[in-house]
Amino acid sequence: MQSEPGIMRKLQQLLKAAQIQLPLSQAEIIPLTEGGSDRLFYRIKHSDSSVVVMASRSPRFDIASYISVGTFLFSHGIGVPEIIACDADRRMVLLEDLGDESLYAILKKPLSGEEKTARYQKVLVSLAEMQMKTAGSLESCAYLKGRNFGYEALRWETDYFTECFLKRFCSMQIEAEEELEREFHLLGAALADEPKYFMHRDFQSQNIYFKNGRVRIIDFQTATRGLLQYDAVSLLKDAYYVLNEKDRNELLNFYIETLTTAWGVEADKEQFIQTFHLAGLQRNMQALGAFAYLTMDKGKTAFAAHMPNALLYLKEALQGV
């Protein structure tokens, strides 16, 4: 097993503390994809069972936020992995194994249009459930209490886009920077004024899984309170997998109908869709900033391949605003 120094020893201590009898010497330990994070993931298989261990390589990743949000969502019946055991001092968490069926992996397989639509609809139903079931109890979550994806957070994302993508990655000299700043101010002010619900912040195809037919969700540790459309646009304008405009519009209508009929949300459809496109500008600027940072600073150059899709979404949104 290729791993960080001491991972086996730390894992054995975690298992012992959790009173889990799992002989690591007899187990198959498989490194899993780590994406853009500073975390390591391993699947531990023994006999007919398996678990996943998440280990942080960086003190910047706060185990406490993962435990707090994960426990909160699990208690509301949301499909997040069950937390089996954790050791905050060693920055390790033992988790339910969700398998390998991410939405992204599924979409890469040959699917009929009906099958693809059914998958997305199931995810959108789960998104609305996560947003609505938790709406009245966000303050009961220690990590979410007081967190708010408002104007300052929105402007941080557009500044991130300007610095990492435009100036550093593209080496762009911005001639009318004051005008650009004014546009970002107006965008941030408009989105900050929207009603706030649970917001995952990275609700895209690689963070959504299916296990036993049920939608399961990972990477929720930076969740906050924000507008409904941000997570919806993260899914429907996902730089990892591009939906055609017709399918995206139909799925957006399905999502709005789910909110209004199943959850009683009062929404002006035309205004909701307009805000969705504004959130698309915001989200894909954030994505471009992140892709540039991961490419240049983390050496994860594979993320640059997704930039054209995010740029396509920006162009579409600007034409539609």
Side-chain angles (χ1 to χ4, degrees):
M1 169 186 170
Q2 297 296 317
S3 65
E4 294 290 294
I7 189 78
M8 289 291 287
R9 175 178 52 80
K10 292 179 180 180
L11 178 55
Q12 191 66 69
Q13 291 169 333
L14 177 61
L15 292 170
K16 183 179 179 180
Q19 298 183 331
I20 296 173
Q21 302 299 318
L22 181 60
L24 293 181
S25 60
Q26 301 172 27
E28 182 182 7
I29 304 179
I30 307 165
L32 301 177
T33 303
E34 61 188 83
S37 75
D38 288 316
R39 290 166 287 157
L40 297 168
F41 293 87
Y42 298 98
R43 172 174 291 132
I44 306 172
K45 297 180 67 176
H46 184 261
S47 298
D48 296 328
S49 64
S50 65
V51 293
V52 168
V53 61
M54 177 180 74
S56 174
R57 291 179 290 189
S58 168
R60 289 184 302 136
F61 175 73
D62 186 4
I63 290 292
S65 66
Y66 186 94
I67 300 300
S68 179
V69 178
T71 302
F72 171 74
L73 292 174
F74 191 81
S75 72
H76 282 77
I78 308 303
V80 295
E82 182 179 3
I83 298 169
I84 301 168
C86 66
D87 187 331
D89 292 336
R90 296 183 178 89
R91 301 195 299 277
M92 296 182 71
V93 184
L94 200 64
L95 301 166
E96 172 191 2
D97 187 357
L98 299 184
D100 299 310
E101 276 210 322
S102 69
L103 177 61
Y104 179 74
I106 291 168
L107 292 170
K108 291 297 183 180
K109 299 176 182 178
L111 291 177
S112 69
E114 292 77 12
E115 288 173 320
K116 182 169 70 174
T117 297
R119 292 283 185 172
Y120 270 100
Q121 287 182 343
K122 204 163 189 177
V123 172
L124 287 167
V125 167
S126 293
L127 172 60
E129 179 185 42
M130 180 170 64
Q131 293 168 327
M132 295 299 120
K133 272 191 172 182
T134 59
S137 56
L138 294 175
E139 288 295 309
S140 69
C141 176
Y143 180 71
L144 293 174
K145 189 173 184 178
R147 279 177 63 80
N148 179 47
F149 200 73
Y151 179 80
E152 293 299 325
L154 290 158
R155 284 310 321 274
W156 183 91
E157 286 192 340
T158 45
D159 286 344
Y160 186 49
F161 164 74
T162 301
E163 293 301 319
C164 290
F165 181 72
L166 295 181
K167 292 183 178 180
R168 293 185 59 210
F169 187 83
C170 298
S171 300
M172 184 179 293
Q173 298 294 322
I174 304 172
E175 295 180 1
E177 191 159 0
E178 287 187 7
E179 292 182 25
L180 182 63
E181 283 292 305
R182 180 177 178 276
E183 292 298 321
F184 287 161
H185 162 71
L186 293 173
L187 176 62
L191 295 179
D193 198 41
E194 289 294 311
K196 304 293 192 297
Y197 295 83
F198 178 89
M199 194 173 96
H200 180 286
R201 285 195 69 187
D202 197 18
F203 196 76
Q204 40 86 0
S205 57
Q206 295 184 353
N207 287 336
I208 299 161
Y209 280 70
F210 287 83
K211 181 180 180 182
N212 299 328
R214 186 186 180 198
V215 175
R216 310 299 293 273
I217 301 160
I218 65 169
D219 269 14
F220 42 75
Q221 64 280 342
T222 59
T224 185
R225 184 186 280 98
L227 70 161
L228 292 171
Q229 290 91 337
Y230 193 97
D231 281 347
V233 86
S234 296
L235 174 69
L236 299 180
K237 292 189 176 185
D238 180 3
Y240 296 119
Y241 186 86
V242 177
L243 288 164
N244 64 54
E245 187 174 5
K246 177 178 178 293
D247 289 345
R248 187 167 64 241
N249 290 340
E250 289 177 356
L251 288 167
L252 177 57
N253 285 328
F254 174 84
Y255 172 63
I256 296 170
E257 184 179 348
T258 300
L259 289 173
T260 56
T261 59
W263 296 101
V265 175
E266 296 182 6
D268 179 312
K269 186 176 179 180
E270 184 177 341
Q271 182 60 47
F272 193 97
I273 292 172
Q274 176 73 2
T275 302
F276 174 85
H277 290 303
L278 290 176
L281 282 170
Q282 180 75 32
R283 167 63 181 177
N284 280 287
M285 283 191 285
Q286 184 279 332
L288 286 165
F291 292 156
Y293 170 76
L294 289 166
T295 298
M296 295 183 298
D297 293 68
K298 294 290 187 178
K300 299 184 178 186
T301 55
F303 284 96
H306 304 295
M307 290 180 180
N309 291 339
L311 286 168
L312 173 66
Y313 289 133
L314 289 189
K315 182 178 178 181
E316 285 183 356
L318 286 169
Q319 289 173 338
V321 170

